[in-house]
Amino acid sequence: MMISSTTNLLFAAALTIAVAIPARADQTSASAPSPTQFLKLPGGQIAYDDTGGTGPLVICVPGLGDMRLQYRFLAPRLVAAGFRVVTMDLPGHGESSVDWPDYSPAAVGADIVAMIRHLGASKVFIIGNSMAGGSAVWAAAEIPDNVAGIVMIDPFTREMPTSSLLLAFLKVAMLRPWGPSFWSMYYGSLYKGARPADLDSYRAALVANLRQPGRIEATRGLIFASQAPCEARIPKVHAPVLVVMGTRDPDFDNPAAEADWVATHLHGKKLMVDGAGHYPHVEYPDVVAGAVVSFMKEAQDGEARRD
């Protein structure tokens, strides 16, 4: 997740709890997750889950201020389609360690590369939400021979203009002790379609996580980090790309136009999820899972034909 350039939306989120949206009861997530695993890196350790299996590997990366459980609805659907799914926490988030030397989308891209090498897979699909869309671009440009395709869900892939007033507000809003509660309010405002039945409890878990030492600071670090290093790598990405965007995502002044920009510059395909906000894979997991599975199988077929 990244903060919108539309100042009014952010101030409204800070002052009000998101309006009630009818909850969906049919989202299903994995019932018995495997024990957390950790990838040790020079700057700390990254927490991740691995469903195992021999299917094609998919690495799922959440946006800032979130946890790997963001993929609790999409991951089991990918597993059911025959894929091996790894969901990883960002540095300083979830169960990953804190106090990293660099909190930036490019640094997260380097963590994705490290994860791919750690898992020893020759070909990997990367799914990145929000700022992790830029991280997926960074990784795909770094190790092009190992990336079979990338799925970018409501992605931030370039520098977006932000007012000085908004930046000043954010520097205060994301401080302790009120920062985690502010983030929860803003987070809730990004769901515009089918609200997941567990959203309230999930937001409570986010707040509890962000109150731990170092975690709201990690989120602040990502908010103010530049996407420029990821944007610079866009011309170097040659893997197939699918851009998934909610039509009502308040993080963008014009979600359809931003999806067009990303898809055009990365020579990819685009899926607009009608009525969804910033998390279409949580709001409408069946719609997104169907499109993602079709995209990845088509990418595999194309790779097989080239071989």
Side-chain angles (χ1 to χ4, degrees):
M1 183 190 318
M2 292 290 285
I3 296 295
S4 171
S5 60
T6 307
T7 306
N8 289 340
L9 284 173
L10 184 54
F11 275 93
L15 296 173
T16 62
I17 301 292
V19 296
I21 303 171
R24 288 175 61 98
D26 60 342
Q27 283 112 323
T28 56
S29 58
S31 57
S34 58
T36 302
Q37 299 185 58
F38 294 94
L39 168 61
K40 294 184 179 180
L41 298 173
Q45 59 182 13
I46 296 293
Y48 69 98
D49 292 325
D50 185 351
T51 64
T54 59
L57 178 61
V58 183
I59 295 179
C60 300
V61 190
L64 67 87
D66 211 337
M67 302 180 291
R68 66 188 189 276
L69 283 173
Q70 179 194 105
Y71 290 99
R72 62 198 181 279
F73 304 124
L74 183 58
R77 287 164 169 81
L78 298 181
V79 171
F83 293 90
R84 173 190 175 189
V85 179
V86 169
T87 54
M88 56 181 279
D89 280 327
L90 299 175
H93 293 61
E95 293 183 85
S96 293
S97 62
V98 297
D99 297 327
W100 290 70
D102 183 8
Y103 291 110
S104 69
V108 173
D111 294 339
I112 295 172
V113 170
M115 181 67 71
I116 291 171
R117 289 172 172 161
H118 169 70
L119 296 171
S122 59
K123 287 288 184 179
V124 176
F125 289 98
I126 304 171
I127 301 179
N129 168 241
S130 197
M131 54 70 53
S135 302
V137 166
W138 197 98
E142 181 72 8
I143 49 170
D145 292 340
N146 299 108
V147 177
I150 59 177
V151 178
M152 309 169 73
I153 303 177
D154 292 62
F156 283 86
T157 57
R158 55 177 173 157
E159 288 289 271
M160 306 293 281
T162 306
S163 72
S164 57
L165 176 63
L166 177 57
L167 289 173
F169 170 73
L170 284 172
K171 287 180 180 179
V172 175
M174 292 299 290
L175 291 173
R176 294 184 185 274
W178 51 78
S181 296
F182 162 76
W183 189 256
S184 174
M185 288 189 290
Y186 182 74
Y187 185 87
S189 75
L190 297 178
Y191 287 84
K192 298 297 184 183
R195 176 187 177 115
D198 68 347
L199 182 57
D200 289 341
S201 60
Y202 188 77
R203 286 170 60 192
L206 278 182
V207 170
N209 186 257
L210 290 173
R211 284 177 175 160
Q212 295 175 8
R215 302 212 182 279
I216 195 68
E217 292 77 13
T219 300
R220 289 180 83 249
L222 277 165
I223 285 176
F224 297 108
S226 173
Q227 278 281 8
C230 299
E231 182 180 355
R233 289 190 167 212
I234 287 177
K236 300 179 181 179
V237 175
H238 303 293
V241 172
L242 173 64
V243 181
V244 179
M245 182 77 77
T247 61
R248 298 180 62 200
D249 186 347
D251 258 352
F252 299 96
D253 293 335
N254 188 331
E258 185 63 21
D260 283 339
W261 189 94
V262 177
T264 298
H265 284 76
L266 284 163
H267 309 288
K269 299 181 177 181
K270 178 186 74 173
L271 169 68
M272 299 300 299
V273 183
D274 189 38
H278 197 61
Y279 303 100
H281 55 306
V282 181
E283 297 171 90
Y284 301 102
D286 287 327
V287 173
V288 174
V292 169
V293 169
S294 295
F295 162 76
M296 292 194 295
K297 289 187 175 179
E298 182 178 336
Q300 287 180 297
D301 290 342
E303 182 71 21
R305 285 194 295 271
R306 286 190 293 273
D307 293 343

